[in-house]
Amino acid sequence: MFITLEGPDGSGKSMQIPALAEFIRSQGYEVLTTREPGGTNIGDQIRQVIMKLGNTSMHPRTEILLFCAARAQIVEEVLRPALQRGVVVISDRYADSTLAYQGYGHGVDLEELTRLLKFTTGGLRPDLTLLLDVDAETGLRRRQTSGGEWNRLDAYALSFHKRVREGYHQLAAAEPERWRTIDASQAPEMVQSCIQDVVRQALAAHPQ
Ligand code: TYD
């Protein structure tokens, strides 16, 4: 089963994933966690180019192709082989991030992006996508105070991050059978408990 976590910056996805992985293991499954952009040797090199604060002149189409290049690599090198072995894969971001950030955030044509994403992923789609939903102001405040990496993409304007969040809402509404929205403004333990409820049901419905 392929599970992806999506959400605006500062939604706390990355912090929730280790406990989620532990929970799924406790249910008797083998689990693999990955993140985008990155997650492979080639993908991590691409990530550095995307994130570097100094790369201010990067054209939006260049940025899209870099995200997609890293994704094409992880799909073939890591995700597909693991899924074929019956492993439960949890990815911190996947193709929906490109639709939310580059599509809704930067206004790139959604149909064109969808075609590109199909090419990039070879058609590999998540079985379950968790949207960790938090408003843009709260998310950015968390990013700035967490002491974590502040990258070129965090530096986009608040209005951009608002469009990203709205985009996620639209994506989730368009495919309700795949998406589950979780209120990520709650305390981290509450968020984890909601995530586990959703995943428990999904595992029961998708016997490996
Ligand atoms: P990262 O530091 O991994 O943050 P997060 O913990 O929020 O995932 O940065 C990833 C950034 O890249 C984040 O701002 C979202 C952005 N992004 C895109 O714009 N498009 C994409 O396709 C992906 C995968 C990420």
Side-chain angles (χ1 to χ4, degrees), residues 131 167-177 179-181:
L131 170 56
Y168 274 128
H169 289 171
Q170 296 202 24
L171 291 169
E175 259 186 287
E177 62 295 344
W179 289 78
R180 294 288 176 276
T181 302

Side-chain angles (χ1 to χ4, degrees), residues 7-10 13-14 35-37 47 51 63 67 71 92-95 97-98 101-102 143 149 151 153-154 160-161:
D9 293 51
K13 295 176 286 78
S14 316
R35 76 159 176 182
E36 283 205 16
R47 179 185 172 91
M51 298 297 175
E63 188 180 280
F67 280 120
R71 183 168 302 134
D92 186 345
R93 299 197 181 281
Y94 189 59
S97 282
T98 306
Y101 281 77
Q102 281 66 49
R143 288 284 293 184
E149 161 199 41
N151 61 52
L153 304 178
D154 292 313
F160 169 79
H161 292 279

